[in-house]
Amino acid sequence: MKKETTRTELPLNRILGGDCIEVMRALPAESVDLIFADPPYNLQLRGELHRPDNSRVDAVDDAWDQFDSFRAYDDFTREWLAAARRLLKPDGAIWVIGSYHNIFRLGAELQNQGFWILNDVIWRKSNPMPNFRGKRFTNAHETLIWASKSENSRYTFNYEALKALNEGVQMRSDWVIPICTGSERLKNERGEKAHPTQKPEALLHRILIGTTNPGDVVLDPFFGTGTTGAVARMLGRNYVGIEREAEYREIAERRLEKVRPLPADVLEVSTSKRAEPRVPFGQLVERGLLRPGEELYSLGNRFRAKVRADGTLVGKDVKGSIHKVGAQLEGAPSCNGWTYWHFKRDGKLVPIDMLRQQIRAEMSGARPN
Amino acid sequence: MKKETTRTELPLNRILGGDCIEVMRALPAESVDLIFADPPYNLQLRGELHRPDNSRVDAVDDAWDQFDSFRAYDDFTREWLAAARRLLKPDGAIWVIGSYHNIFRLGAELQNQGFWILNDVIWRKSNPMPNFRGKRFTNAHETLIWASKSENSRYTFNYEALKALNEGVQMRSDWVIPICTGSERLKNERGEKAHPTQKPEALLHRILIGTTNPGDVVLDPFFGTGTTGAVARMLGRNYVGIEREAEYREIAERRLEKVRPLPADVLEVSTSKRAEPRVPFGQLVERGLLRPGEELYSLGNRFRAKVRADGTLVGKDVKGSIHKVGAQLEGAPSCNGWTYWHFKRDGKLVPIDMLRQQIRAEMSGARPN
DNA sequence: CCAGGTGCTGAATCCCCCA
DNA sequence: ATGGGGGATTCAGCACCTG
């Protein structure tokens, strides 16, 4: 049963037909920045499942034979996840979505394969289908798991952009988003909904804005009618879709043709201070913005320190960087010297960070960027 | 190494010392209606964490939360779940709570053992701890799983009572409840929090109202400081607690002594068979059961509000119906004012729902029901 | 008595570059 | 690979104090 697979180049912004496990195995390793996966959880699919040795799992229709069906689902999960993992760049990440039918098995297998869970996120549906028989709670949410490829991955997280999306408050792990209805819901020629579990674009919008950058490659191995691709294309990300059903692929192709990518300037998002160019404190002295020997005053004006010619400070029994001296004086584990230390101008105390901003402004002025 | 265990009778309304797996193995099979379990989460924390103001976060670093590997945690989960399962009556059910660190392994093992998941429920914290380094989403929720012993269990679900708790709308799978702080949070002699992970009583209140009946037996194998027992006792349910740490047991004993069980008539919950007559809150004032100006006290005694002559309440910065004011004070989408607000009689706090029951009794007149 | 400000805390897998 | 050091980072609720 061994199949010869030729590793192709990664075809960007295309939908690939076929079984996602086989297709992924033929793609180049470590070529993808983000994976979004909405795998099937319908246990009726078990007839199409394969064990790791590629033997087919017998169709088991008996409802009581849960153990075998869970095992088959776990085998399927293990295989596609391993194939997906291979494609991820070392600093890549994955999102999976599911309900209580499958999310626990999915999450456990993610952990087993060495993915590092960063958050579980609750998609809280503002308009869920009620529980008609009154025997359970309204199933009003689905669960997403966001995980990096490994514990030490430097994953992408646009903290400031998400905070801005959330009215200036840190984005939480529970997201209120309506289900996909109305004109967004795709129909087939017969007027029926084209796909049973089409996800809202708002969900993918938040995921892609928050955990990818423009130009990144986003892979969706269960592409369906292409929500991931549509949002990726709109947001200037590259997508790779894999879908087994020809009908879904055709609908997705037509959908993607209509998407107009947004211009680059709109795609710029708020960035954190971490992204700003580094300015050594010594430059302030070199450029004469602070004189050697000048006195600096701590936040709260409890301590003083003197600037030395090499860009270090000297205070009472302490010397070192602006950060180190501040931390030692405060007895704190760390200290941001830029906001901690102040200098005197016209009798007023001004944070030295103002001088850093001045230098940064000059730097960006030189480079028209 | 075989240990002879004598199967004792089930000791009701007591806290049992020792390892919960061993203790459960010594209890009689099929004797429990509901299990609530808050097992260790296996947090796997690395270094210290500081807030932006440099204060240190008091982490959950207790020995009982340390496991060497996922394998070790899975073994532990398998054993305690199996022991718990044996104790459940055929129509019994279980609730477990966890975070992304452990909930996927917990859910998968529940399924493996033949439990039938009925819902996963999201506890949305109205006041979670933020993410201090801006590297992830605020971890603003925990996940509960509600499962019956088997697929065909006729589990208890008080649909109408929960609907009433939710202002007449079907209860959803996401619950907004504040974390346990303030006066509800138990302290030890040193003034520190007595238990690092004490759960809010409101969470147990909803679980016990929704999925048990008065007189049922509720087992909590990780009893801690006894939240499950306290709410069970208040609501006229029997509890069995198991806790390994003597210090937690002593605190729980003292806590439970103080709990006053509610009278039986208050515990009757709505049934779908016969709708209870609606009683406007204003009738309590008209009839002189409550005086205008009288002070009401919130569940948990955190808030107060004053009764106005028109049957509305006025609290700090809020006025309106008993439901609306309760919801606003709690920051919750809704609130059942009848069970939320209490008045003082003979120095004790009594839910205003008792007065409604009184009026209903009068209304039903000849029918003693 | 109220308004406003300060301080503390909560189940947390919480940095990243460079030598 | 590992260590050192620059320097970035928080929301809601309650207790307590001051004016």
Side-chain angles (χ1 to χ4, degrees), chain B residues 34-95:
Chain B
L34 189 84
I35 294 170
F36 177 86
D38 181 13
Y41 286 11
N42 189 22
L43 284 189
Q44 305 174 267
L45 302 178
R46 301 297 191 238
E48 290 199 332
L49 180 64
H50 292 89
R51 298 185 182 80
D53 66 2
N54 271 327
S55 62
R56 198 178 69 87
V57 174
D58 184 15
V60 179
D61 52 4
D62 306 72
W64 50 253
D65 199 47
Q66 309 297 324
F67 293 83
D68 290 334
S69 61
F70 282 132
R71 167 69 73 85
Y73 189 80
D74 291 344
D75 290 344
F76 165 73
T77 301
R78 193 177 310 112
E79 287 197 47
W80 79 255
L81 257 185
R85 182 174 172 79
R86 201 189 118 256
L87 301 184
L88 266 189
K89 295 178 185 174
D91 289 339
I94 187 170
W95 285 85

Side-chain angles (χ1 to χ4, degrees), chain A residues 86-267:
Chain A
R86 200 190 120 256
L87 301 185
L88 265 189
K89 296 179 185 175
D91 289 340
I94 187 171
W95 285 86
V96 300
I97 181 167
S99 67
Y100 66 81
H101 304 90
N102 67 329
I103 196 67
F104 304 117
R105 318 203 76 86
L106 215 38
E109 185 57 25
L110 275 168
Q111 292 179 311
N112 291 345
Q113 293 200 11
F115 287 98
W116 193 246
I117 298 183
L118 299 165
N119 279 112
D120 57 339
V121 168
I122 303 306
W123 168 27
R124 186 177 176 258
K125 303 177 186 182
S126 53
N127 49 351
M129 193 187 327
N131 184 281
F132 294 113
R133 297 194 310 146
K135 302 300 289 179
R136 303 183 182 195
F137 298 96
T138 308
N139 211 336
H141 74 276
E142 291 188 28
T143 301
L144 300 109
I145 303 174
W146 175 43
S148 58
K149 183 166 186 178
S150 72
E151 181 174 353
N152 300 313
S153 298
R154 286 176 315 223
Y155 55 89
T156 299
F157 185 59
N158 295 322
Y159 176 76
E160 293 293 336
L162 288 160
K163 192 171 169 179
L165 263 182
N166 198 33
E167 304 207 308
V169 187
Q170 186 170 96
M171 185 74 79
R172 298 168 41 115
S173 58
D174 53 325
W175 302 354
V176 181
I177 291 175
I179 60 176
C180 183
T181 56
S183 60
E184 188 185 328
R185 189 81 194 223
L186 298 172
K187 306 281 192 293
N188 61 19
E189 304 84 10
R190 303 180 290 285
E192 306 154 343
K193 57 187 175 191
H195 192 281
T197 66
Q198 186 183 340
K199 297 290 175 286
E201 297 196 359
L203 192 69
L204 271 298
H205 183 100
R206 189 172 295 183
I207 288 172
L208 295 184
I209 286 290
T211 64
T212 64
N213 293 312
D216 277 3
V217 176
V218 179
L219 169 71
D220 185 338
F222 306 97
F223 201 61
T225 46
T227 305
T228 302
V231 179
R233 180 165 156 78
M234 181 178 70
L235 295 178
R237 275 74 171 164
N238 296 294
Y239 65 87
V240 179
I242 307 173
E243 174 54 47
R244 196 177 46 188
E245 305 288 334
E247 185 179 343
Y248 295 156
R249 287 201 302 273
E250 285 158 24
I251 293 171
E253 296 280 13
R254 287 201 299 277
R255 176 183 192 180
L256 285 159
E257 277 169 21
K258 286 188 219 146
V259 174
R260 278 171 41 88
L262 293 171
D265 58 342
V266 181
L267 293 178

Side-chain angles (χ1 to χ4, degrees), chain A residues 59-79:
Chain A
V60 182
D61 297 327
D62 315 296
W64 62 82
D65 197 352
Q66 276 176 42
F67 179 76
D68 208 49
S69 64
F70 280 134
R71 193 174 57 187
Y73 190 79
D74 291 345
D75 289 345
F76 165 69
T77 301
R78 192 176 312 112
E79 286 195 53

Side-chain angles (χ1 to χ4, degrees), chain B residues 39-285:
Chain B
Y41 286 11
N42 189 22
L43 284 189
Q44 305 174 267
L45 302 178
R46 301 297 191 238
E48 290 199 332
L49 180 64
H50 292 89
R51 298 185 182 80
D53 66 2
N54 271 327
S55 62
R56 198 178 69 87
V57 174
D58 184 15
V60 179
D61 52 4
D62 306 72
W64 50 253
D65 199 47
Q66 309 297 324
F67 293 83
D68 290 334
S69 61
F70 282 132
R71 167 69 73 85
Y73 189 80
D74 291 344
D75 290 344
F76 165 73
T77 301
R78 193 177 310 112
E79 287 197 47
W80 79 255
L81 257 185
R85 182 174 172 79
R86 201 189 118 256
L87 301 184
L88 266 189
K89 295 178 185 174
D91 289 339
I94 187 170
W95 285 85
V96 299
I97 181 168
S99 65
Y100 65 83
H101 309 84
N102 69 327
I103 196 66
F104 304 116
R105 318 201 78 84
L106 214 38
E109 184 58 26
L110 275 167
Q111 292 178 313
N112 290 346
Q113 294 200 12
F115 287 97
W116 192 250
I117 298 183
L118 299 165
N119 279 111
D120 56 340
V121 168
I122 303 306
W123 168 25
R124 301 175 62 213
K125 304 179 184 183
S126 54
N127 49 352
M129 181 159 68
N131 183 286
F132 295 117
R133 307 301 292 269
K135 299 307 291 181
R136 302 182 177 196
F137 299 98
T138 311
N139 207 339
H141 73 276
E142 293 189 26
T143 301
L144 299 109
I145 303 175
W146 175 42
S148 58
K149 184 166 184 176
S150 70
E151 182 174 354
N152 301 312
S153 299
R154 288 176 316 219
Y155 56 89
T156 298
F157 185 59
N158 295 321
Y159 176 77
E160 292 295 335
L162 288 162
K163 195 168 165 179
L165 262 182
N166 200 31
E167 296 276 278
V169 185
Q170 197 170 84
M171 185 75 78
R172 299 166 43 114
S173 58
D174 56 319
W175 303 352
V176 180
I177 292 175
I179 62 176
C180 182
T181 59
S183 60
E184 189 186 325
R185 189 83 193 218
L186 298 172
K187 305 282 191 292
N188 61 19
E189 306 85 11
R190 302 179 290 284
E192 307 154 340
K193 58 185 175 193
H195 193 283
T197 70
Q198 186 183 341
K199 296 291 174 287
E201 295 196 0
L203 192 68
L204 272 296
H205 184 100
R206 190 171 296 181
I207 287 172
L208 294 184
I209 287 289
T211 63
T212 64
N213 293 312
D216 277 3
V217 175
V218 179
L219 169 71
D220 185 337
F222 306 96
F223 201 61
T225 46
T227 305
T228 303
V231 179
R233 182 166 154 77
M234 180 177 73
L235 296 179
R237 275 72 171 167
N238 295 295
Y239 65 86
V240 179
I242 307 174
E243 173 54 47
R244 197 173 47 183
E245 307 285 335
E247 186 180 341
Y248 297 157
R249 289 201 301 273
E250 285 159 24
I251 292 170
E253 296 278 13
R254 289 202 298 278
R255 175 185 193 177
L256 285 159
E257 277 169 19
K258 287 189 218 143
V259 174
R260 279 174 38 87
L262 293 172
D265 55 349
V266 180
L267 293 179
E268 277 177 22
V269 296
S270 318
T271 64
S272 48
K273 296 275 195 273
R274 182 161 41 87
E276 301 270 9
R278 213 178 68 98
V279 177
F281 176 72
Q283 277 204 20
L284 274 55
V285 185

